[in-house]
């Protein structure tokens, strides 16, 4: 696992955007894995600017998001489809029908999870995947005590996750209790993984991910076994680490 540090998150967002651009320029038909949350917003803004500047194109790529809330249709402002539309899909040149998220309002959610899993596996594997991390160490909505071999599934959200994410809703009760999340198995098959973590509330999760044992209680710790995973941390997220634990960007 590579661990890269920069004092300011923008440097890390720029680095992550550049890795995506590099991948797309090498293979315009790349399969991209995408995340939501506050963390990747700046990276998506950079990708938007660089698309407008003609430095990169998404016109032959396809994307798969990590997760979607159960019960929120794509036009709900707190849905992940809506987030992606606003922060990335409307800013770059994906062709219609090439960006995928699980359908959180499917009649049969288990079946939808399986369909999504199969769809990604039919692609082969993702070429590059951007991840955030929950303050409890989750990736996607693979909450603590996840089975590392998990397929895409209907996940019950931890109370701590619902609290963390309540800032995107009017009140805590509005935060869905479940989501469909890409499974750890598919995540681990992505050829390149970039995980970004900003701020002190991620420091413990980052410490456990990098320095702890591989443990289902910290889902991100499995990344220690990935052959090409890079962790990108700012000053806050690195606050429990020592200088020797990372390389400065
Ligand atoms: C949500 C998402 C995760 C994301 C996490 C962190 O729970 N399911 O994919 O990594 O939030 O969010 P943020 O970047 O806002 O801290």
């Amino acid at each position: 696992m590579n661990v890269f540090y920069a004092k300011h998150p923008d440097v890390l967002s720029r680095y992550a955007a550049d890795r995506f651009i590099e991948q797309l320029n090498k293979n315009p038909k790349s399969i991209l894995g995408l995340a939501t949350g506050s963390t990747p917003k700046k990276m998506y803004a950079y990708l938007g600017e660089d698309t407008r500047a003609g430095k990169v194109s998404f016109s032959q790529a396809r994307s798969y998001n990590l997760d979607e809330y159960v019960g929120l249709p794509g036009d709900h402002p707190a849905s992940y489809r809506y987030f992606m539309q606003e922060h990335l899909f409307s800013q770059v040149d994906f062709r219609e029908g090439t960006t995928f998220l699980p359908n959180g309002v499917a009649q049969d959610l288990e079946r939808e999870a399986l369909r999504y899993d199969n769809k990604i596996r039919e692609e082969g594997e993702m070429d590059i995947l951007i991840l955030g991390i929950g303050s409890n160490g989750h990736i996607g909505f693979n909450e603590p005590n996840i089975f590392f071999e998990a397929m895409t599934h209907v996940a019950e959200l931890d109370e701590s996750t619902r609290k963390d994410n309540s800032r995107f809703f009017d009140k805590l009760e509005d935060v869905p209790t479940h989501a469909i999340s890409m499974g750890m198995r598919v995540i681990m098959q992505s050829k390149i993984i970039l995980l970004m973590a900003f701020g002190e509330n991620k420091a413990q999760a980052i410490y456990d991910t990098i320095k702890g044992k591989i443990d289902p209680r910290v889902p991100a710790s499995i990344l220690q076994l990935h052959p090409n995973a890079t962790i990108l941390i700012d000053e806050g997220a690195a606050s429990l680490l020592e200088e020797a634990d990372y390389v400065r960007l």
Side-chain angles (χ1 to χ4, degrees), residues 35-40 66-67 69 80 131-135 138-141 161 165 167-168 201-202:
T36 50
S38 319
T39 310
L66 285 168
D67 43 17
Y69 285 120
Y80 283 167
L131 296 174
I133 185 169
S135 59
H138 76 212
I139 47 186
F141 275 124
T161 298
N165 291 0
R167 65 188 191 280
F168 297 110
N201 69 323
K202 303 292 172 68

Side-chain angles (χ1 to χ4, degrees), residues 22-36:
E22 200 174 84
Q23 174 64 39
L24 282 162
N25 288 339
K26 197 173 77 181
N27 176 12
K29 294 184 173 175
S30 290
I31 308 297
L32 311 176
L34 302 175
T36 50

Side-chain angles (χ1 to χ4, degrees), residues 81-154:
R81 164 61 75 179
Y82 193 97
F83 174 99
M84 291 307 299
Q85 194 58 36
E86 183 178 353
H87 292 284
L88 186 68
F89 301 158
S90 62
Q91 306 299 313
V92 301
D93 59 344
F94 276 116
R95 274 178 301 122
E96 184 88 22
T98 54
T99 60
F100 304 101
L101 285 90
N103 175 8
V105 291
Q107 282 232 318
D108 184 338
L109 294 166
E110 303 290 343
R111 202 172 162 151
E112 168 60 10
L114 191 64
R115 182 196 66 82
Y116 195 69
D117 207 83
N118 284 334
K119 193 166 165 47
I120 301 170
R121 276 186 299 152
E122 276 164 22
E123 298 277 12
E125 60 247 324
M126 293 177 283
D127 291 297
I128 187 164
L129 166 65
I130 182 75
L131 296 174
I133 185 169
S135 59
N136 64 0
H138 76 212
I139 47 186
F141 275 124
N142 291 280
E143 297 282 28
N145 299 316
I146 189 69
F147 179 44
F148 282 140
E149 288 290 306
M151 296 177 68
T152 300
H153 59 284
V154 180

